[in-house]
Amino acid sequence: MTALALSVLAGAGAGTLQAETLTIATVNNADMIIMQELSPKWEKKTGNKLNWVILEENVLRQRVTTDIATNGGTYDIITIGAYEAPLWGKNNWLVSLDDFDSSYNYDDIFPTVRNGLTADGHLYAVPFYAESSFTFYRKDLFKAAGLTMPANPTWTQIEEFAAKLHKPDQEQYGICLRGKAGWGDNMAVFGTMVNAFGGRWFDMNWNPELDSPEWLNALTFYTDIVQKYGAPGTPNNGHNENRAMFASGKCAIWVDATSAAGYIYNPKESSVADVTGFASAPSEVSEKGNGWFWAWALSVPKSSKNEDVAKDFLAWATSEEYINLVGEEKGWVAAPPGTRKSTYANSDYINAAPFAKTVQKQILSADPANPSAKPVPYTGVQFVAIPEFQGIGTYVGQMVSASLAGTMSPSEVLKASQNYARQEMTRSGYIK
């Protein structure tokens, strides 16, 4: 075992604890799979065991939300994000995570990320990785077609490129975008597109604006580009499906999470590692909110009976030492991105990850308090940080997916979405 690995085994939060079995619910993406693969080191150090429940993103949210809202106690550790952490912390559903020992180095976490997981001055989740969104593209295909991707493209330019590179008879698709319904799935991409087209979810009096011209322009564009130049099955494709298609060489352009860069640039996982370029997330009439902000984080429900042991695992799995361990054992390109200053001061990571500084800039420039060309009463770039958004965003995501599938027109989708949002905001007392 390497010297660094040995140091991790003696890492943050270590102590003499009664051996327990923890149940951890997490999402089925590449970074979390690596965490599962490396967790036996923590188990060996502490004598504790982990029972893994690995779920697709939408299913994870449904199960965790139901369990924590009912005080079910099914999970000792849950994977949540920048939407849930402050809301659930305020509801007293989560254990405060302010008391790890000094070796954890809270100050090393980017303030933007830490603040996104904080409520009333308390940290309720610790970040495993953080992300914004940007544009992946195939440099070889662009060069062969005589095209140049600008550093800051517009959606109109992206469509022009996609049209020229779309060759479905060769299984080469102009663009791959999320279409699977979900407030954190297709609405992550489409929500930032709405921002780029100048739209917003609510006006300053909390009246929904989903039937606005900006929303209609965005949805008409989204539907057209997917139907004309997208991959087959887009209405059912989420992040993982698109990542697999891009990594196998089937997509000329892909707009999605910056956290996927470690996978795409890893030649062990991706056939296009040496021919992928990147640019900022597309803008259009506005540059505000065109790249999302998100953090996948680990938290402990108040209903857990193993709070201390769970916190010990969190301190280990989100530490600088853990990031170094991933770099040593899985390659530095696979290190969890976006959370700690030390990662971006590490020459091993910078040399292995050509996208590193761009990702850092995208994450730190995201402004959840100012996500739209028009003023808004909420925070959140691709989501609205109110409890009601989970239901509203899920419904709108289903409607938007229907537009991609061609079963509803964009105007029909937005009329239904506006009515639903107004109903929910009235029921909740935001408007009369």
Side-chain angles (χ1 to χ4, degrees):
M1 186 180 295
T2 66
L4 177 57
L6 287 170
S7 74
V8 170
L9 293 182
T16 304
L17 300 169
Q18 180 179 351
E20 301 286 356
T21 297
L22 305 179
T23 298
I24 176 172
T26 194
V27 66
N28 63 339
N29 63 30
D31 291 280
M32 298 306 189
I33 298 300
I34 290 174
M35 179 173 66
Q36 183 186 17
E37 292 174 352
L38 294 178
S39 64
K41 296 182 180 298
W42 177 84
E43 292 177 321
K44 182 178 180 181
K45 176 189 72 171
T46 65
N48 299 303
K49 298 294 182 182
L50 293 167
N51 173 36
W52 291 86
V53 180
I54 299 177
L55 302 167
E56 186 270 331
E57 182 173 327
N58 289 336
V59 177
L60 172 74
R61 287 195 169 104
Q62 291 168 358
R63 292 193 185 177
V64 168
T65 300
T66 298
D67 189 71
I68 200 164
T70 59
N71 200 36
T74 303
Y75 309 111
D76 297 293
I77 299 168
I78 54 176
T79 304
I80 60 175
Y83 169 72
E84 297 94 346
L87 292 174
W88 294 3
K90 287 181 179 179
N91 281 349
N92 199 34
W93 291 350
L94 302 174
V95 173
S96 173
L97 303 176
D98 301 316
D99 58 348
F100 295 168
D101 66 39
S102 59
S103 67
Y104 186 72
N105 194 3
Y106 289 98
D107 289 338
D108 188 40
I109 301 172
F110 287 122
T112 302
V113 177
R114 195 168 65 241
N115 292 341
L117 303 171
T118 296
D120 300 327
H122 294 288
L123 189 67
Y124 286 103
V126 282
F128 188 74
Y129 69 81
E131 65 185 29
S132 183
S133 54
F134 65 3
T135 304
F136 299 86
Y137 67 97
R138 288 278 301 280
K139 293 188 294 185
D140 55 334
L141 300 182
F142 270 67
K143 183 177 180 179
L147 303 174
T148 300
M149 174 69 79
N152 299 290
T154 65
W155 277 110
T156 296
Q157 290 173 317
I158 292 293
E159 183 176 36
E160 292 170 355
F161 297 144
K164 293 176 180 177
L165 297 172
H166 188 56
K167 299 178 181 179
D169 57 326
Q170 301 176 27
E171 282 194 298
Q172 175 182 308
Y173 307 107
I175 190 165
C176 291
L177 294 174
R178 300 187 194 188
K180 182 186 292 184
W183 70 260
D185 219 319
N186 63 344
M187 293 308 296
V189 172
F190 181 63
T192 56
M193 189 180 291
V194 168
N195 295 336
F197 276 76
R200 57 183 176 178
W201 281 88
F202 303 100
D203 69 15
M204 292 300 290
N205 294 315
W206 290 104
N207 294 297
E209 289 199 344
L210 280 65
D211 59 354
S212 67
E214 293 87 354
W215 273 77
L216 182 59
N217 290 340
L219 184 55
T220 300
F221 178 90
Y222 178 55
T223 302
D224 285 349
I225 195 173
V226 166
Q227 290 181 346
K228 291 177 181 177
Y229 313 119
T234 293
N236 297 314
N237 292 344
H239 171 81
N240 288 346
E241 291 82 2
N242 282 292
R243 187 188 67 196
M245 284 193 294
F246 191 89
S248 64
K250 294 183 178 180
C251 307
I253 302 169
W254 179 36
V255 180
D256 211 294
T258 57
S259 61
Y263 185 96
I264 296 301
Y265 280 84
N266 187 345
K268 296 178 182 178
E269 306 286 354
S270 169
S271 66
V272 296
D274 60 340
V275 293
T276 295
F278 52 88
S280 68
S283 61
E284 191 61 22
V285 303
S286 174
E287 294 183 357
K288 289 186 178 181
N290 61 318
W292 68 65
F293 172 76
W294 185 252
W296 276 119
L298 302 177
S299 193
V300 180
K302 276 289 186 71
S303 56
S304 171
K305 296 179 175 60
N306 298 303
E307 177 181 320
D308 289 341
V309 182
K311 288 168 70 174
D312 185 78
F313 178 76
L314 266 59
W316 176 80
T318 63
S319 65
E320 179 182 354
E321 288 79 8
Y322 174 84
I323 293 172
N324 291 338
L325 178 64
V326 175
E328 284 200 348
E329 300 222 349
K330 300 295 183 179
W332 276 102
V333 74
T339 61
R340 288 184 172 269
K341 302 171 188 175
S342 55
T343 303
Y344 293 84
N346 187 317
S347 60
D348 290 329
Y349 181 67
I350 298 301
N351 292 335
F355 49 83
K357 291 299 184 181
T358 300
V359 170
Q360 181 183 8
K361 180 181 177 181
Q362 289 282 121
I363 291 172
L364 297 183
S365 64
D367 188 358
N370 189 22
S372 174
K374 300 177 182 179
V376 297
Y378 54 84
T379 60
V381 180
Q382 78 284 17
F383 61 84
V384 178
I386 58 173
E388 292 76 15
F389 179 76
Q390 188 161 343
I392 294 172
T394 298
Y395 179 87
V396 177
Q398 292 168 347
M399 294 294 100
V400 168
S401 187
S403 179
L404 295 189
T407 58
M408 296 178 71
S409 70
S411 59
E412 290 171 335
V413 163
L414 295 181
K415 181 179 179 180
S417 297
Q418 173 74 4
N419 289 340
Y420 183 86
R422 176 165 287 280
Q423 170 189 310
E424 290 301 297
M425 296 301 282
T426 301
R427 183 181 60 81
S428 299
Y430 288 83
I431 58 177
K432 296 182 178 179

